Amino acid sequence: MAGRTVADSAADARVVLDAVGLDRVAVHGGSGGTPPAMAFAALCAERVTRLALQAPLAPYRELGHDLWSQGQDEQTKEYMALCLQGETGAARAINKEVEELVADPDWAEVTRETVRQGPWGAVDDELAQLSDWGFDPASIRAPTLIIYDPDETVLPPQHPLWLRDRIPDAALMSTSTLGHRASDQDPDPDRRRMYGWLTS
């Protein structure tokens, strides 16, 4: 669905919930999954009990390039520079990442499956996230927990802090185990805190 916005994903989520007979749900999104999670909470508010955003992404157009990318590591800057070139650049970035992930036995099978029909769904995701999202995070009314690592270098702290200031009922949870460059500490206690909050 080339040219789609992040907001378009909310209708997809509504259809899935209708199909499985769920009226209201707690929503969790991580990294690039946080914009569609926010879209659903903003545009289908009556169906969302709580929202958890793990290592979240703030809107590129709202922050502007300099603030959005401040503090990112070189690998991330290289990836995003390719995505900002459009479809061809984003496909190159994703294919390069796929090559690295399939070399890791823990990620090989799931990575191959995600791009079995090509990288274009992921390309559309990246381009949508770098464009106008089609909704304002300030319209989210569900209680929101923003889980972030203060030392994050993929989506640095300005991302979660911007969202905390924008979403009316938002709180922060600091962790070193649930970000993109997680520490070697056991992540299970932080996962329990996150999912416990979502389901409380």
Side-chain angles (χ1 to χ4, degrees), residues 2-68:
R4 64 180 163 84
T5 67
V6 173
D8 290 327
S9 65
D12 297 336
R14 183 189 288 275
V15 169
V16 171
L17 291 184
D18 289 345
V20 296
L22 292 174
D23 292 325
R24 301 187 75 223
V25 293
V27 176
H28 166 256
S31 186
T34 57
M38 286 185 267
F40 188 65
L43 301 173
C44 303
E46 74 284 358
R47 305 194 71 161
V48 178
T49 57
R50 288 188 165 201
L51 173 66
L53 304 172
Q54 178 185 346
L57 173 71
Y60 180 82
R61 290 196 172 185
E62 295 285 338
L63 272 68
H65 179 78
D66 290 346
L67 178 58
W68 195 91

Side-chain angles (χ1 to χ4, degrees), residues 10 33 62 79 83 111 120 125 179 200:
E62 295 285 338
Y79 179 93
C83 290
T111 301
W120 304 108
D125 281 344
S200 64

Side-chain angles (χ1 to χ4, degrees), residues 116-164:
R116 181 166 48 87
Q117 299 183 56
W120 304 108
V123 166
D124 291 346
D125 281 344
E126 295 292 9
L127 298 183
Q129 290 166 8
L130 291 169
S131 302
D132 184 340
W133 285 3
F135 71 96
D136 186 346
S139 64
I140 295 170
R141 292 293 174 262
T144 301
L145 184 64
I146 299 171
I147 302 99
Y148 82 110
D149 181 349
D151 298 320
E152 172 81 57
T153 61
V154 175
L155 297 170
Q158 68 269 21
H159 290 257
L161 295 177
W162 187 93
L163 292 167
R164 187 271 318 269

